[in-house]
Amino acid sequence: MDTILEGLNDAQRSAVEQIDGPLLILAGAGSGKTKTITSRLAYLLDTVGVPASNTLTLTFTNKAAKEMRQRAMGLIRQNSFPPLLCTFHKFGLLFLKFHIHLLGRANNFVVIDTDDKKKILKRINADLPLPLIASEISRYKNSLIDPQEAYAQAELTNYKHIAKIYEEYEAYLLKNNLVDFDDLLCLTYRLLDEHTDLCRETSEKYRYIMIDEYQDTNELQLRLLQKLCSTHDNLCVVGDDDQSIYGWRGAHVRNILEFDQDFQNATVVKLEHNYRSTQPILTVANALIEHNRSRLGKTLIATKSGGDDVATITSHDESEESRKIASAIRSLLAQGVRANEIAVLYRINALSRSLEEGLNRAGIAYKLVGGLRFYDRAEIKDLISYLRVITNVHDNFSLKRIINKPKRGLGKASIDKLELSALQSGRSMFEFISTLSDSELEALVRKKSAQELREFIHEIYELRSVAEEAMYRFIDLLEERFKIKETLKGLPDESDKISNIDEFYGLFRDYVKQNPDAALAEFLNDITLQSEQDQVEGESIYIMSIHASKGLEFEHLFVIGMEEGFLPLIGDGSDLEEERRLGYVAFTRAKSNLTLSNVNSRFYKGRRTDLQKSRFINEAGLCEGSLILEKNTSFKKGDLVRHKIFGAGRVEGVSKSGREFKLLLNFGGTKREILASFVEKL
């Protein structure tokens, strides 16, 4: 036992020794979360004597599961049978292998991947964008909505169409004994829900359940856990409400905020000692996140001494910003700091373009984590291909990339037929199509496609003349004629892709402004040099989105794009509290030095726009006139309260009212809005 508890602080030890009943370990950034959960598992097995077969520990990635298993087993002295420690979906797979026969299906089913799923959907549908359909079907399954319910709920024609596709897709999976990734959990839930004996037997088997990264769980995962805990309440969850940043992919922060309502008489242990960052960094992070209302509340305390103050940089534009960042990084490298101890984070992927160019110019090697380099992104390659064809209509390679973007009803077979015929005639594809009569073209492709190809050829010729006469009008006309951004509507990553296209359009306008006599070919040559520049060999610094940085840490960290509209992202369904949590995650990746960078103007929606400094710099107390911290209300949805006149009521909503908080209260069916200071919690 001494080995297991050795090195734990009081809060960590308390969490490890809490055996029975619901337990929420509220683990702040850098507070030793993994050490605590693995020590608790080892304690259950090696000290308490719980059989390994009676435990179940679930997390979100195979990498995390492997690390936790190794660390837990390293603490156990006895030769214990390995406990089941895996991802949610691996557990679902194992469960279905044993029990899917209860649904009338054979257990030799095959799990299909995302590409397989899209191929099946493509056979069923030829009209709507595949990513949209795949995303909606996934959302339905994770909300336990069957095709009939999906159809009944759909108000728009396209969504009724998706519900019908969903029905055909499910029938195809059933007929061919296939399951997709989402089925691993929703079929597992269905089995536990429909077979009470199996549910009881499974719950009794796994009497001690632990969940990692609980703030990232969705509605289906919560309901699955409730089934697994139907005969006991020994559920320990570890997470941080302040690091819940995946709402866009279905995670519900309410799962961790309302854990005590889902699992009665829960104990909460807060891990607030931070072993990663210096106190100046934590002071700024604490100040920022304090502005969120929907949080359980904790304050990180540094265990490391000293530390530099958090720095801020203000630049005129993104070019100056990238120069300053590159200069600061070069200075760190000259001091002997290893490149892999340095990282630059941003909220929006499009911001990487100017950063990449600045690092390239400075000869600083970098690795882009979790994403493609700006010029390697599909939508940017498409745009460059349009420009190349307009510059050189004989560029068959670029023409083939865009001839069906936007869709013109041309499949691979039609494009191959056109290419072969052009080759046999000794001409480029563009030239060959241009010289065909209507009947000749319709002999190669469908009539509608032939008509659209004629329009395409005409538009290219017109844009060629515009590029020669008025470059400043060219990029607007390109979007107007081909409506490239419209083809991205409805895709799960629509906002990101459109931001990238706007960034490219802005880059083009700026180039024309600075080089008024330059030709289109010169612009293409310039960006080709930017995108293909050789990287300096050796170690690299890291650049990545804030989402990609979660779970990582760096000695020296820069966060760029600290402006309103970039961090926080505003509009398009964004959630200000989740944006603030993103800022908190970014700040707490830094170990020794944190620098926040903002600009006065940046390309925004394709045009240069004057920008305001992010409110988060203000809220973090890093500029004059910082906001006075407003204490978070202790009330949350579901709380019982007492009013001196109206008696007992339940909180149904919390909102801001000046410096106060306003509660929507339900007093036995009568709803009233009352200031929080006029009630007390029961």
Side-chain angles (χ1 to χ4, degrees), residues 188-200:
T188 295
Y189 176 83
R190 184 178 154 195
L191 280 164
L192 294 173
D193 189 48
E194 294 178 2
H195 299 272
T196 53
D197 289 347
L198 176 62
C199 184
R200 183 173 62 253

Side-chain angles (χ1 to χ4, degrees), residues 549-603:
S549 76
K550 190 164 179 291
L552 303 177
E553 56 184 40
F554 302 94
E555 288 291 342
H556 305 273
L557 188 77
F558 299 84
V559 184
I560 66 170
M562 293 293 299
E563 303 101 30
E564 291 291 295
F566 289 89
L567 183 63
L569 189 64
I570 298 169
D572 298 325
S574 62
D575 176 345
L576 184 58
E577 296 219 345
E578 182 156 319
E579 292 297 307
R580 197 173 278 114
R581 293 194 290 269
L582 271 167
Y584 175 81
V585 166
F587 294 2
T588 54
R589 300 310 94 199
K591 296 165 73 174
S592 301
N593 297 98
L594 173 63
T595 301
L596 308 181
S597 172
N598 72 284
V599 298
N600 294 326
S601 85
R602 194 185 290 280
F603 284 127

Side-chain angles (χ1 to χ4, degrees), residues 346-587:
Y346 40 79
R347 168 67 177 92
I348 298 173
N349 285 325
L351 266 60
S352 79
R353 193 269 308 167
S354 57
L355 177 63
E356 288 178 61
E357 291 181 2
L359 294 172
N360 280 333
R361 281 193 295 267
I364 297 172
Y366 64 88
K367 289 178 183 172
L368 181 60
V369 178
L372 290 169
R373 291 152 66 91
F374 183 79
Y375 292 109
D376 290 337
R377 290 169 183 148
E379 61 276 14
I380 301 304
K381 282 189 164 187
D382 290 345
L383 278 172
I384 291 171
S385 293
Y386 262 104
L387 301 193
R388 283 177 174 162
V389 170
I390 290 164
T391 304
N392 173 19
V393 294
H394 304 303
D395 182 348
N396 282 357
F397 179 79
S398 297
L399 180 68
K400 283 171 65 180
R401 183 177 181 94
I402 60 164
I403 197 169
N404 199 41
K405 292 180 181 179
K407 288 187 177 179
R408 300 181 178 94
L410 296 168
K412 184 178 183 301
S414 296
I415 296 171
D416 288 347
K417 198 186 297 182
L418 287 170
E419 184 179 26
L420 180 60
S421 299
L423 185 65
Q424 291 170 343
S425 74
R427 286 172 287 186
S428 68
M429 284 178 69
F430 189 95
E431 187 182 17
F432 173 71
I433 296 167
S434 302
T435 58
L436 292 178
S437 67
D438 290 346
S439 59
E440 287 171 329
L441 187 53
E442 287 169 20
L444 294 170
V445 299
R446 289 183 299 178
K447 186 174 182 178
K448 187 181 179 190
S449 298
Q451 184 182 343
E452 293 196 21
L453 271 177
R454 288 258 179 256
E455 291 176 13
F456 171 72
I457 298 291
H458 173 73
E459 300 289 7
I460 294 292
Y461 275 129
E462 187 169 336
L463 283 163
R464 278 171 66 82
S465 62
V466 172
E468 291 169 4
E469 296 167 10
M471 274 275 279
Y472 66 92
R473 285 184 51 225
F474 170 78
I475 207 73
D476 293 316
L477 197 59
L478 177 74
E479 176 61 35
E480 181 185 313
R481 295 301 167 86
F482 293 116
K483 297 181 170 49
I484 295 164
K485 289 196 285 189
E486 281 189 20
T487 66
L488 304 172
K489 293 284 173 67
L491 300 186
D493 49 1
E494 170 195 338
S495 177
D496 226 15
K497 286 181 179 293
I498 289 177
S499 291
N500 290 335
I501 287 176
D502 283 335
E503 176 74 9
F504 185 87
Y505 287 168
L507 168 67
F508 182 88
R509 292 187 186 100
D510 201 51
Y511 183 87
V512 173
K513 186 177 178 182
Q514 293 180 25
N515 305 275
D517 298 323
L520 185 57
E522 291 174 68
F523 171 76
L524 282 169
N525 290 338
D526 190 61
I527 63 170
T528 300
L529 289 174
Q530 291 283 4
S531 59
E532 295 179 357
Q533 181 167 341
D534 291 337
Q535 292 296 298
V536 181
E537 292 184 1
E539 285 194 354
S540 304
I541 68 157
Y542 294 97
I543 68 174
M544 68 191 83
S545 69
I546 298 170
H547 281 102
S549 76
K550 190 164 179 291
L552 303 177
E553 56 184 40
F554 302 94
E555 288 291 342
H556 305 273
L557 188 77
F558 299 84
V559 184
I560 66 170
M562 293 293 299
E563 303 101 30
E564 291 291 295
F566 289 89
L567 183 63
L569 189 64
I570 298 169
D572 298 325
S574 62
D575 176 345
L576 184 58
E577 296 219 345
E578 182 156 319
E579 292 297 307
R580 197 173 278 114
R581 293 194 290 269
L582 271 167
Y584 175 81
V585 166
F587 294 2

Side-chain angles (χ1 to χ4, degrees), residues 265-379:
N265 303 313
T267 300
V268 179
V269 175
K270 296 181 181 181
L271 305 185
E272 297 177 297
H273 284 87
N274 177 283
Y275 296 92
R276 175 187 299 155
S277 308
T278 59
Q279 190 58 53
I281 293 169
L282 296 183
T283 298
V284 166
N286 287 332
L288 173 67
I289 202 65
E290 179 70 19
H291 287 77
N292 268 8
R293 291 199 311 270
S294 300
R295 64 187 298 257
L296 297 170
K298 63 185 175 311
T299 303
L300 294 179
I301 304 161
T303 57
K304 292 166 67 173
S305 59
D308 296 333
D309 288 342
V310 174
T312 58
I313 299 173
T314 298
S315 305
H316 173 65
D317 59 18
E318 65 272 24
S319 296
E320 184 182 338
E321 177 184 58
S322 65
R323 285 197 300 273
K324 287 181 178 178
I325 298 290
S327 175
I329 291 171
R330 200 161 40 206
S331 177
L332 288 171
L333 295 172
Q335 295 167 34
V337 174
R338 293 184 60 185
N340 60 10
E341 293 175 343
I342 305 169
V344 187
L345 307 184
Y346 40 79
R347 168 67 177 92
I348 298 173
N349 285 325
L351 266 60
S352 79
R353 193 269 308 167
S354 57
L355 177 63
E356 288 178 61
E357 291 181 2
L359 294 172
N360 280 333
R361 281 193 295 267
I364 297 172
Y366 64 88
K367 289 178 183 172
L368 181 60
V369 178
L372 290 169
R373 291 152 66 91
F374 183 79
Y375 292 109
D376 290 337
R377 290 169 183 148
E379 61 276 14

Side-chain angles (χ1 to χ4, degrees), residues 26-43:
L26 197 61
S31 63
K33 165 186 74 92
T34 304
K35 182 176 184 178
T36 305
I37 193 171
T38 52
S39 297
R40 188 175 187 275
L41 178 58
Y43 185 81

